Amino acid sequence: MKHIWFIMIKDLKLFSKDRMALFFFILFPFIFVIAFSFIMGDLGAEDQRLTLNVTSLEEEGGISYQIIEAIETEDESVLEPGEPIISWDVDYDEAHQAVEDGELGGLLVFPEDFTDGIYQSSGTELTVVVNPDAINTYAALSGLAHSIATRVNSQWVAASATIELLIAEGLLDPTDSEAIEEVMEGILSGQNVSEGQSAIVLATESVGEVEPVNAANFIIPGYLVMFVFFAAALGAEIIVRERQNHTLERLLASSVRRWSILGGVFAGTAAKGVVQITVFWVVGILAFGIDLGVSPAAVVILSVLMVVVSAAFAIMLAALVKTRRSAGSLAVLAALILAPLGGCWWPLFILPSWMQFLAKLTPHGWAMIGFNKLMLFGAEFGDVVTEMLVLLGFAVVFAVIGIWRFRTSAV
Amino acid sequence: MLKPFLIAKNLHKSFNSRKAVDRVSFSIRKGEIFGLLGPNGAGKTTTIRILSTVLEPDRGDVIIGGYSIRRNPDAVRRLIGVCPQELALYEELSAIDNLVFFGRMVGLSGSEAKAQAVARLKLVGLTGRAKGRVDKFSGGMKRRVNLAVSLMGHPKLLFMDEPTVGIDPQSRNRIYRTIERLRDRGMTILYTTHYMEEANRLCDRVAIIDAGRIIAMDTPLALRSRIGPPEQVTLEDVFLKLTGRRLRD
Ligand SMILES: Nc1ncnc2c1ncn2[C@@H]1O[C@H](COP(=O)(O)OP(=O)(O)OP(=O)(O)O)[C@@H](O)[C@H]1O
Ligand SMILES: [Mg+2]
């Protein structure tokens, strides 16, 4: 255990003496990010954006109609890059059939009793009908449903409180149900009942609005995933260098365990990765104004897991190759193939489904699905647990292969 | 008569059916400097790698300080120090950083490692360059650091694999003096070289190894006496007589 620590410190010391490596770790990624934010800024405006379909089973005039009206996209040209189109399908059966036929990725359905459920506090349920192939549509719809639910809920509480307040102040007659409903609808649909009631204005936002998406919300995680992996994979060189420098032999002859050596390199690589993601997020937030979504903790954990996967990959690579040159070129090759495949360079959800499938063979793909869900579609922690577990799975597989191969490899 | 500190029994090692070490047996007594003498490719390094538990022999065993390299490699590793033929250093780090790091790897505490590092650098005559980066050192200085590292943790038995190859006379003399000082302190040393006069000067006993096999083993004096008056022949002549070849072709 002690050995792991000292080997890690030694690796970090070696790293700090290497200006070129420092440049590649920290500065280079940002040169990329800055260059690509310009390019991507225009790219996002193409018509290949995600379309989210919404429908209601309610009678006309229910609250769901107001919500849909509020969130429906009226003019595509004003959408921010990456922001999805929200389209209102009036005919439920037709829309449902379209999902079944695979013409639509998915559908968010407001139930028949939506308004009643809210007014009578008996609860109501939003349904996402989804085509299993369309993972990103599903993620987006779930995020949308979630945000509608939480916002309606909180506004319902605000509205009830407001009405009670109005009654208490004698401004509203508790027996006049029509007047109450009017106030309520006004609040829920985000329209001010009247001027001068500033307390209410504060409590009401237009329902279910999808925040305009900053292109950096996609670009930063994409380059984070790519460069974290890139830099970590180059860590494979460290072990190969120990082998070629004969220091590996020296370590083994001084009763340092093979797994401690791997552990030390892993820890050093991971520590560098953590520095890298810290820089990425801090610069991303301060300079690019990215939004970590409703669960920053999930974003952080996902990033750390990407570091862990990458460091594990480095160990596997190091155990499989013989020379430093092949470690280096394989690391670069893997990084450059896996990044676009995994959706680091363009959003996965604009790609055909076979490419989305390929993405899922890479750790990058899973990390990107997670980041996109969290940072573009308003998903919460619970929605990305699968992605986290898959990344952990990748890390375990890589590490096991690495340890197993390194156990018997010649020095 | 002292009991042997190292006993190598019938060691075999092949690489792809090519025999690198073939039926090698010898023993080294405590406090002895034992030379393994042979041309390039004779199997000296392979033997040392087996003795130092880095490479497993195909057959045979080695007992060091009572422990078997097969059954108890960790106990063996606590007794030995290895000065490899190739430099085994982190060149971007300073000499002292290298020594302290490897000191910690053999289990020394931070302060012990520091103290020993300073002492070892003094021993090899590099006190003034302790903080210098190894990649700025001359070949001879690097070799001295390499030797200093192998002395971290007070090994009882030191393996030195051609420590004087390709270095300036000044560094070479410094290494000779270091070895003599270590001998005075009772250190047991296995020394490989293909410089015959070096073996003659330093070693209590030598084994001549060729093509993986030990073909002769005795004191340098006794070996020379085998082929003529010892003051007129060299170990070089012994090798020529035994193999029909010159040592360095
Ligand atoms: N890892 C290996 N794989 C294949 N062959 C090897 C390996 N290590 C050594 N050999 C071969 O075994 C033989 C003995 O090599 P070894 O390095 O032990 O010789 P040496 O006496 O140390 O020579 P030198 O004076 O050049 O250092 C050589 O023929 C060498 O090519
Ligand atoms: Mg050799």
Side-chain angles (χ1 to χ4, degrees):
Chain A
M1 217 40 214
K2 263 188 326 192
H3 288 155
I4 295 184
W5 175 256
F6 296 129
I7 292 172
M8 175 188 104
I9 298 292
K10 181 264 299 169
D11 283 345
L12 293 178
K13 224 178 211 173
L14 284 173
F15 175 67
S16 69
K17 311 235 169 197
D18 189 346
R19 264 162 228 265
M20 200 62 191
L22 280 172
F23 171 77
F24 265 95
F25 256 75
I26 308 291
L27 231 56
F28 188 56
F30 280 103
I31 295 173
F32 254 76
V33 170
I34 291 163
F36 275 77
S37 343
F38 287 117
I39 302 170
M40 289 299 284
D42 292 340
L43 247 175
E46 282 181 17
D47 60 347
Q48 269 188 321
R49 56 175 81 241
L50 194 61
T51 304
L52 302 180
N53 297 73
V54 184
T55 188
S56 175
L57 293 170
E58 272 198 300
E59 298 282 307
E60 208 161 318
I63 292 177
S64 64
Y65 278 75
Q66 294 170 34
I67 294 174
I68 298 176
E69 263 168 31
I71 63 176
E72 188 189 12
T73 307
E74 272 144 25
D75 183 359
E76 273 181 40
S77 62
V78 302
L79 288 180
E80 295 282 330
E83 188 177 348
I85 300 167
I86 296 179
S87 148
W88 186 354
D89 289 285
V90 182
D91 187 335
Y92 169 77
D93 291 323
E94 206 173 275
H96 197 278
Q97 189 60 45
V99 176
E100 279 175 38
D101 295 345
E103 286 161 23
L104 287 185
L107 187 63
L108 175 64
V109 185
F110 287 86
E112 235 170 312
D113 62 351
F114 187 74
T115 305
D116 289 348
I118 289 176
Y119 280 174
Q120 287 153 24
S121 301
S122 57
T124 179
E125 204 174 45
L126 293 172
T127 312
V128 176
V129 180
V130 69
N131 176 340
D133 289 338
I135 163 79
N136 290 301
T137 310
Y138 173 61
L141 284 174
S142 303
L144 183 61
H146 219 97
S147 83
I148 290 172
T150 45
R151 285 179 202 227
V152 168
N153 274 341
S154 64
Q155 278 162 38
W156 174 246
V157 172
S160 307
T162 310
I163 286 162
E164 265 169 44
L165 191 74
L166 291 176
I167 292 169
E169 299 272 317
L171 292 171
L172 200 65
D173 177 0
T175 56
D176 184 354
S177 62
E178 227 170 82
I180 291 177
E181 211 160 291
E182 200 177 299
V183 173
M184 194 83 92
E185 280 185 14
I187 294 167
L188 289 175
S189 64
Q191 285 151 14
N192 300 345
V193 174
S194 73
E195 314 246 81
Q197 284 177 318
S198 55
I200 300 173
V201 177
L202 245 173
T204 58
E205 270 177 276
S206 55
V207 175
E209 182 193 341
V210 174
E211 304 241 328
V213 175
N214 177 349
N217 278 3
F218 165 74
I219 294 167
I220 298 269
Y223 283 94
L224 173 120
V225 167
M226 172 177 164
F227 280 106
V228 160
F229 185 83
F230 195 6
L234 285 173
E237 276 195 339
I238 297 174
I239 293 183
V240 181
R241 190 165 66 169
E242 297 270 5
R243 199 196 300 274
Q244 289 190 329
N245 274 356
H246 306 276
T247 43
L248 181 61
E249 186 162 342
R250 180 159 242 161
L251 289 173
L252 291 175
S254 53
S255 73
V256 180
R257 306 248 166 243
R258 281 171 184 260
W259 65 263
S260 304
I261 298 171
L262 283 186
V265 173
F266 176 85
T269 307
K272 283 180 254 172
V274 168
V275 172
Q276 229 184 350
I277 58 174
T278 308
V279 173
F280 254 95
W281 289 131
V282 169
V283 174
I285 291 168
L286 298 182
F288 293 92
I290 56 168
D291 173 11
L292 297 187
V294 293
S295 178
V299 173
V300 169
I301 291 176
L302 211 53
S303 320
V304 170
L305 281 171
M306 192 62 211
V307 169
V308 169
V309 172
S310 309
F313 180 83
I315 284 185
M316 179 179 78
L317 189 58
L320 293 176
V321 301
K322 288 272 169 287
T323 67
R324 216 175 143 182
R325 187 187 291 265
S326 55
S329 29
L330 275 175
V332 172
L333 204 64
L336 288 182
I337 290 174
L338 294 178
L341 214 54
C344 297
W345 295 358
W346 36 66
L348 279 175
F349 46 78
I350 64 169
L351 298 180
S353 58
W354 65 271
M355 281 193 74
Q356 295 191 19
F357 171 76
L358 282 184
K360 289 195 172 177
L361 301 177
T362 69
H364 301 56
W366 287 92
M368 286 313 296
I369 291 171
F371 283 126
N372 289 348
K373 277 189 186 179
L374 289 167
M375 296 175 59
L376 299 178
F377 303 133
E380 299 198 349
F381 197 101
D383 302 325
V384 294
V385 169
T386 315
E387 283 76 12
M388 292 177 181
L389 291 177
V390 172
L391 285 180
L392 205 57
F394 268 108
V396 169
V397 170
F398 290 157
V400 165
I401 295 176
I403 292 167
W404 172 69
R405 280 290 310 228
F406 192 66
R407 203 169 45 91
T408 53
S409 71
V411 276
Chain B
M1 180 89 196
L2 280 167
K3 251 180 66 183
F5 189 67
L6 176 149
I7 308 166
K9 289 185 288 200
N10 197 29
L11 298 175
H12 285 68
K13 182 74 196 180
S14 299
F15 296 107
N16 318 317
S17 83
R18 186 198 162 91
K19 285 179 179 167
V21 171
D22 188 12
R23 282 175 276 170
V24 164
S25 298
F26 61 93
S27 57
I28 306 178
R29 287 188 287 272
K30 205 153 182 34
E32 190 175 33
I33 298 186
F34 183 88
L36 207 50
L37 208 58
N40 288 340
K44 304 182 293 294
T45 300
T46 307
T47 304
I48 285 200
R49 293 175 78 205
I50 292 171
L51 302 181
S52 60
T53 77
V54 175
L55 198 65
E56 206 178 324
D58 297 336
R59 261 184 290 154
D61 196 1
V62 181
I63 309 294
I64 295 177
Y67 300 106
S68 152
I69 56 158
R70 286 188 185 276
R71 273 170 282 120
N72 217 335
D74 275 334
V76 169
R77 289 174 190 139
R78 279 192 286 276
L79 298 173
I80 61 171
V82 186
C83 179
Q85 178 172 4
E86 315 286 346
L87 295 172
L89 302 167
Y90 300 103
E91 301 225 344
E92 299 89 336
L93 298 184
S94 67
I96 190 110
D97 280 352
N98 269 286
L99 285 156
V100 170
F101 172 72
F102 284 109
R104 307 230 59 175
M105 290 295 112
V106 298
L108 299 180
S109 74
S111 53
E112 278 173 324
K114 197 82 195 281
Q116 277 198 28
V118 171
R120 296 296 173 268
L121 283 174
K122 184 156 176 253
L123 185 69
V124 297
L126 285 174
T127 302
R129 303 296 298 268
K131 295 230 163 63
R133 270 171 65 139
V134 172
D135 54 8
K136 302 278 187 292
F137 286 9
S138 74
M141 287 161 68
K142 287 179 187 175
R143 292 230 153 248
R144 278 142 73 188
V145 178
N146 203 35
L147 173 58
V149 168
S150 61
L151 293 169
M152 294 299 287
H154 293 296
K156 302 263 183 303
L157 170 62
L158 181 64
F159 299 115
M160 300 179 79
D161 197 355
E162 310 206 25
T164 56
V165 168
I167 59 174
D168 55 290
Q170 192 202 340
S171 282
R172 180 176 302 200
N173 284 329
R174 186 79 219 188
I175 288 177
Y176 291 158
R177 249 188 295 153
T178 304
I179 293 169
E180 277 152 9
R181 219 177 291 172
L182 291 171
R183 172 172 48 197
D184 296 343
R185 293 184 195 171
M187 172 97 73
T188 310
I189 297 173
L190 181 128
Y191 191 97
T192 82
T193 181
H194 58 249
Y195 297 128
M196 294 292 160
E197 69 286 356
E198 197 172 288
N200 195 39
R201 167 179 169 183
L202 291 170
C203 298
D204 300 311
R205 281 192 310 142
V206 296
I208 295 178
I209 183 169
D210 185 37
R213 290 213 210 158
I214 292 183
I215 52 176
M217 181 158 55
D218 216 324
T219 62
L221 182 70
L223 283 175
R224 281 181 283 132
S225 308
R226 283 190 195 179
I227 59 161
E231 30 330 315
Q232 283 169 33
V233 294
T234 64
L235 285 177
E236 194 86 45
D237 301 325
V238 178
F239 186 82
L240 179 65
K241 174 93 180 173
L242 287 171
T243 64
R245 285 182 284 122
R246 297 233 126 242
L247 192 55
R248 271 173 283 167
D249 292 328

